[in-house]
mmCIF file of all heavy atoms in Angstrom:
data_model
loop_
_atom_site.group_PDB
_atom_site.id
_atom_site.type_symbol
_atom_site.label_atom_id
_atom_site.label_comp_id
_atom_site.label_asym_id
_atom_site.label_seq_id
_atom_site.Cartn_x
_atom_site.Cartn_y
_atom_site.Cartn_z
ATOM 1 N N LEU A 1 13.611 -4.401 10.072
ATOM 2 C CA LEU A 1 13.299 -3.760 8.801
ATOM 3 C C LEU A 1 14.252 -2.592 8.568
ATOM 4 O O LEU A 1 14.493 -1.779 9.470
ATOM 5 C CB LEU A 1 11.860 -3.243 8.805
ATOM 6 C CG LEU A 1 10.757 -4.308 8.872
ATOM 7 C CD1 LEU A 1 9.403 -3.640 9.035
ATOM 8 C CD2 LEU A 1 10.776 -5.180 7.626
ATOM 9 N N PRO A 2 14.789 -2.475 7.362
ATOM 10 C CA PRO A 2 15.626 -1.304 7.056
ATOM 11 C C PRO A 2 14.771 -0.040 7.016
ATOM 12 O O PRO A 2 13.550 -0.105 6.853
ATOM 13 C CB PRO A 2 16.208 -1.633 5.675
ATOM 14 C CG PRO A 2 15.237 -2.592 5.073
ATOM 15 C CD PRO A 2 14.688 -3.394 6.210
ATOM 16 N N ASP A 3 15.414 1.106 7.159
ATOM 17 C CA ASP A 3 14.677 2.367 7.220
ATOM 18 C C ASP A 3 13.855 2.628 5.962
ATOM 19 O O ASP A 3 12.805 3.275 6.018
ATOM 20 C CB ASP A 3 15.639 3.539 7.450
ATOM 21 C CG ASP A 3 16.153 3.582 8.880
ATOM 22 O OD1 ASP A 3 15.555 2.890 9.736
ATOM 23 O OD2 ASP A 3 17.141 4.297 9.136
ATOM 24 N N ASP A 4 14.325 2.124 4.801
ATOM 25 C CA ASP A 4 13.605 2.399 3.558
ATOM 26 C C ASP A 4 12.561 1.337 3.229
ATOM 27 O O ASP A 4 11.951 1.365 2.156
ATOM 28 C CB ASP A 4 14.570 2.557 2.393
ATOM 29 C CG ASP A 4 15.358 1.283 2.106
ATOM 30 O OD1 ASP A 4 15.297 0.345 2.934
ATOM 31 O OD2 ASP A 4 16.040 1.224 1.060
ATOM 32 N N ALA A 5 12.345 0.370 4.147
ATOM 33 C CA ALA A 5 11.259 -0.593 3.938
ATOM 34 C C ALA A 5 9.931 0.168 3.889
ATOM 35 O O ALA A 5 9.725 1.127 4.637
ATOM 36 C CB ALA A 5 11.233 -1.630 5.048
ATOM 37 N N GLU A 6 9.041 -0.272 2.999
ATOM 38 C CA GLU A 6 7.777 0.440 2.785
ATOM 39 C C GLU A 6 6.608 -0.530 2.899
ATOM 40 O O GLU A 6 6.587 -1.566 2.237
ATOM 41 C CB GLU A 6 7.776 1.097 1.402
ATOM 42 C CG GLU A 6 6.519 1.884 1.083
ATOM 43 C CD GLU A 6 6.527 2.417 -0.335
ATOM 44 O OE1 GLU A 6 7.274 1.865 -1.177
ATOM 45 O OE2 GLU A 6 5.788 3.384 -0.615
ATOM 46 N N LEU A 7 5.646 -0.194 3.756
ATOM 47 C CA LEU A 7 4.421 -0.981 3.856
ATOM 48 C C LEU A 7 3.376 -0.370 2.937
ATOM 49 O O LEU A 7 3.063 0.821 3.040
ATOM 50 C CB LEU A 7 3.891 -1.002 5.285
ATOM 51 C CG LEU A 7 2.562 -1.761 5.482
ATOM 52 C CD1 LEU A 7 2.747 -3.256 5.231
ATOM 53 C CD2 LEU A 7 1.984 -1.514 6.873
ATOM 54 N N VAL A 8 2.832 -1.202 2.020
ATOM 55 C CA VAL A 8 1.794 -0.767 1.089
ATOM 56 C C VAL A 8 0.539 -1.591 1.364
ATOM 57 O O VAL A 8 0.584 -2.822 1.347
ATOM 58 C CB VAL A 8 2.238 -0.943 -0.376
ATOM 59 C CG1 VAL A 8 1.131 -0.476 -1.325
ATOM 60 C CG2 VAL A 8 3.533 -0.185 -0.645
ATOM 61 N N VAL A 9 -0.567 -0.910 1.621
ATOM 62 C CA VAL A 9 -1.846 -1.570 1.878
ATOM 63 C C VAL A 9 -2.856 -1.030 0.878
ATOM 64 O O VAL A 9 -2.928 0.193 0.662
ATOM 65 C CB VAL A 9 -2.336 -1.312 3.316
ATOM 66 C CG1 VAL A 9 -3.629 -2.087 3.580
ATOM 67 C CG2 VAL A 9 -1.275 -1.697 4.332
ATOM 68 N N GLU A 10 -3.629 -1.921 0.254
ATOM 69 C CA GLU A 10 -4.636 -1.459 -0.692
ATOM 70 C C GLU A 10 -5.902 -2.294 -0.577
ATOM 71 O O GLU A 10 -5.874 -3.450 -0.156
ATOM 72 C CB GLU A 10 -4.117 -1.479 -2.125
ATOM 73 C CG GLU A 10 -3.817 -2.842 -2.686
ATOM 74 C CD GLU A 10 -3.372 -2.770 -4.152
ATOM 75 O OE1 GLU A 10 -2.737 -1.757 -4.525
ATOM 76 O OE2 GLU A 10 -3.679 -3.708 -4.909
ATOM 77 N N ALA A 11 -7.021 -1.671 -0.965
ATOM 78 C CA ALA A 11 -8.322 -2.342 -0.992
ATOM 79 C C ALA A 11 -8.902 -2.187 -2.389
ATOM 80 O O ALA A 11 -8.885 -1.079 -2.953
ATOM 81 C CB ALA A 11 -9.261 -1.743 0.045
ATOM 82 N N ARG A 12 -9.407 -3.284 -2.951
ATOM 83 C CA ARG A 12 -9.972 -3.270 -4.299
ATOM 84 C C ARG A 12 -11.389 -3.833 -4.291
ATOM 85 O O ARG A 12 -11.727 -4.665 -3.446
ATOM 86 C CB ARG A 12 -9.085 -4.043 -5.275
ATOM 87 C CG ARG A 12 -7.723 -3.363 -5.503
ATOM 88 C CD ARG A 12 -6.896 -4.055 -6.566
ATOM 89 N NE ARG A 12 -5.652 -3.341 -6.806
ATOM 90 C CZ ARG A 12 -5.503 -2.361 -7.697
ATOM 91 N NH1 ARG A 12 -6.549 -2.002 -8.453
ATOM 92 N NH2 ARG A 12 -4.351 -1.750 -7.854
ATOM 93 N N GLY A 13 -12.192 -3.390 -5.277
ATOM 94 C CA GLY A 13 -13.590 -3.805 -5.344
ATOM 95 C C GLY A 13 -13.965 -4.349 -6.708
ATOM 96 O O GLY A 13 -13.222 -5.117 -7.316
ATOM 97 N N PHE A 14 -15.127 -3.937 -7.227
ATOM 98 C CA PHE A 14 -15.681 -4.423 -8.487
ATOM 99 C C PHE A 14 -14.672 -4.278 -9.616
ATOM 100 O O PHE A 14 -14.055 -3.224 -9.790
ATOM 101 C CB PHE A 14 -16.963 -3.642 -8.806
ATOM 102 C CG PHE A 14 -17.554 -3.917 -10.150
ATOM 103 C CD1 PHE A 14 -18.201 -5.117 -10.400
ATOM 104 C CD2 PHE A 14 -17.455 -2.983 -11.169
ATOM 105 C CE1 PHE A 14 -18.746 -5.381 -11.645
ATOM 106 C CE2 PHE A 14 -18.012 -3.219 -12.417
ATOM 107 C CZ PHE A 14 -18.654 -4.427 -12.654
ATOM 108 N N GLN A 15 -14.463 -5.365 -10.393
ATOM 109 C CA GLN A 15 -13.537 -5.383 -11.523
ATOM 110 C C GLN A 15 -12.152 -4.902 -11.118
ATOM 111 O O GLN A 15 -11.454 -4.246 -11.880
ATOM 112 C CB GLN A 15 -14.083 -4.533 -12.673
ATOM 113 C CG GLN A 15 -15.357 -5.079 -13.306
ATOM 114 C CD GLN A 15 -15.150 -6.403 -14.020
ATOM 115 O OE1 GLN A 15 -15.563 -7.439 -13.523
ATOM 116 N NE2 GLN A 15 -14.531 -6.365 -15.178
ATOM 117 N N ASN A 16 -11.778 -5.241 -9.872
ATOM 118 C CA ASN A 16 -10.451 -4.916 -9.338
ATOM 119 C C ASN A 16 -10.223 -3.411 -9.214
ATOM 120 O O ASN A 16 -9.070 -2.945 -9.190
ATOM 121 C CB ASN A 16 -9.347 -5.535 -10.199
ATOM 122 C CG ASN A 16 -8.104 -5.867 -9.394
ATOM 123 O OD1 ASN A 16 -8.191 -6.272 -8.235
ATOM 124 N ND2 ASN A 16 -6.944 -5.691 -9.994
ATOM 125 N N ALA A 17 -11.294 -2.635 -9.118
ATOM 126 C CA ALA A 17 -11.170 -1.184 -8.980
ATOM 127 C C ALA A 17 -10.480 -0.839 -7.664
ATOM 128 O O ALA A 17 -10.806 -1.398 -6.610
ATOM 129 C CB ALA A 17 -12.543 -0.524 -9.029
ATOM 130 N N LEU A 18 -9.541 0.077 -7.710
ATOM 131 C CA LEU A 18 -8.819 0.503 -6.512
ATOM 132 C C LEU A 18 -9.710 1.409 -5.676
ATOM 133 O O LEU A 18 -10.116 2.490 -6.118
ATOM 134 C CB LEU A 18 -7.532 1.236 -6.903
ATOM 135 C CG LEU A 18 -6.643 1.695 -5.746
ATOM 136 C CD1 LEU A 18 -6.121 0.499 -4.956
ATOM 137 C CD2 LEU A 18 -5.486 2.542 -6.270
ATOM 138 N N LEU A 19 -10.014 0.978 -4.452
ATOM 139 C CA LEU A 19 -10.849 1.751 -3.543
ATOM 140 C C LEU A 19 -10.020 2.639 -2.629
ATOM 141 O O LEU A 19 -10.421 3.751 -2.304
ATOM 142 C CB LEU A 19 -11.720 0.812 -2.697
ATOM 143 C CG LEU A 19 -12.693 -0.081 -3.456
ATOM 144 C CD1 LEU A 19 -13.418 -1.006 -2.492
ATOM 145 C CD2 LEU A 19 -13.695 0.763 -4.234
ATOM 146 N N ALA A 20 -8.877 2.142 -2.186
ATOM 147 C CA ALA A 20 -8.023 2.917 -1.284
ATOM 148 C C ALA A 20 -6.643 2.293 -1.244
ATOM 149 O O ALA A 20 -6.486 1.081 -1.415
ATOM 150 C CB ALA A 20 -8.616 2.964 0.122
ATOM 151 N N THR A 21 -5.645 3.122 -1.021
ATOM 152 C CA THR A 21 -4.280 2.630 -0.855
ATOM 153 C C THR A 21 -3.534 3.559 0.081
ATOM 154 O O THR A 21 -3.846 4.754 0.169
ATOM 155 C CB THR A 21 -3.555 2.523 -2.218
ATOM 156 O OG1 THR A 21 -2.265 1.916 -2.021
ATOM 157 C CG2 THR A 21 -3.366 3.891 -2.852
ATOM 158 N N ASP A 22 -2.563 3.005 0.790
ATOM 159 C CA ASP A 22 -1.756 3.805 1.694
ATOM 160 C C ASP A 22 -0.371 3.173 1.765
ATOM 161 O O ASP A 22 -0.225 1.946 1.662
ATOM 162 C CB ASP A 22 -2.381 3.865 3.091
ATOM 163 C CG ASP A 22 -1.655 4.860 3.989
ATOM 164 O OD1 ASP A 22 -1.213 5.901 3.477
ATOM 165 O OD2 ASP A 22 -1.515 4.582 5.192
ATOM 166 N N SER A 23 0.640 4.003 1.916
ATOM 167 C CA SER A 23 2.004 3.494 2.035
ATOM 168 C C SER A 23 2.788 4.401 2.974
ATOM 169 O O SER A 23 2.487 5.596 3.106
ATOM 170 C CB SER A 23 2.685 3.417 0.662
ATOM 171 O OG SER A 23 2.801 4.712 0.091
ATOM 172 N N ALA A 24 3.786 3.813 3.620
ATOM 173 C CA ALA A 24 4.647 4.576 4.534
ATOM 174 C C ALA A 24 5.971 3.850 4.675
ATOM 175 O O ALA A 24 6.026 2.619 4.634
ATOM 176 C CB ALA A 24 3.971 4.743 5.898
ATOM 177 N N GLU A 25 7.058 4.621 4.827
ATOM 178 C CA GLU A 25 8.371 4.035 5.046
ATOM 179 C C GLU A 25 8.589 3.759 6.528
ATOM 180 O O GLU A 25 7.990 4.401 7.392
ATOM 181 C CB GLU A 25 9.457 4.958 4.500
ATOM 182 C CG GLU A 25 9.489 5.025 2.990
ATOM 183 C CD GLU A 25 10.723 5.735 2.482
ATOM 184 O OE1 GLU A 25 11.455 6.338 3.305
ATOM 185 O OE2 GLU A 25 10.973 5.691 1.254
ATOM 186 N N ALA A 26 9.473 2.789 6.784
ATOM 187 C CA ALA A 26 9.695 2.360 8.166
ATOM 188 C C ALA A 26 10.335 3.465 9.003
ATOM 189 O O ALA A 26 9.815 3.832 10.072
ATOM 190 C CB ALA A 26 10.573 1.107 8.177
ATOM 191 N N ASN A 27 11.467 3.993 8.553
ATOM 192 C CA ASN A 27 12.178 5.010 9.322
ATOM 193 C C ASN A 27 12.313 4.606 10.792
ATOM 194 O O ASN A 27 12.009 5.368 11.707
ATOM 195 C CB ASN A 27 11.473 6.367 9.214
ATOM 196 C CG ASN A 27 11.555 6.941 7.814
ATOM 197 O OD1 ASN A 27 12.564 6.769 7.126
ATOM 198 N ND2 ASN A 27 10.485 7.596 7.370
ATOM 199 N N GLY A 28 12.757 3.360 10.997
ATOM 200 C CA GLY A 28 12.956 2.853 12.350
ATOM 201 C C GLY A 28 11.780 2.081 12.904
ATOM 202 O O GLY A 28 11.898 1.409 13.939
#
């Protein structure tokens, strides 16, 4: 993975409401 690759994780609920999200870059 390149250093600027980003992992995005999210959880959604009723009517696709966003419950939580998190992201971070690889940086190695």
Side-chain angles (χ1 to χ4, degrees):
L1 294 173
D3 286 345
D4 63 350
E6 181 185 21
L7 177 67
V8 180
V9 184
E10 66 177 32
R12 293 185 177 271
F14 173 73
Q15 294 294 106
N16 210 36
L18 182 63
L19 299 177
T21 185
D22 188 36
S23 63
E25 289 191 350
N27 292 325

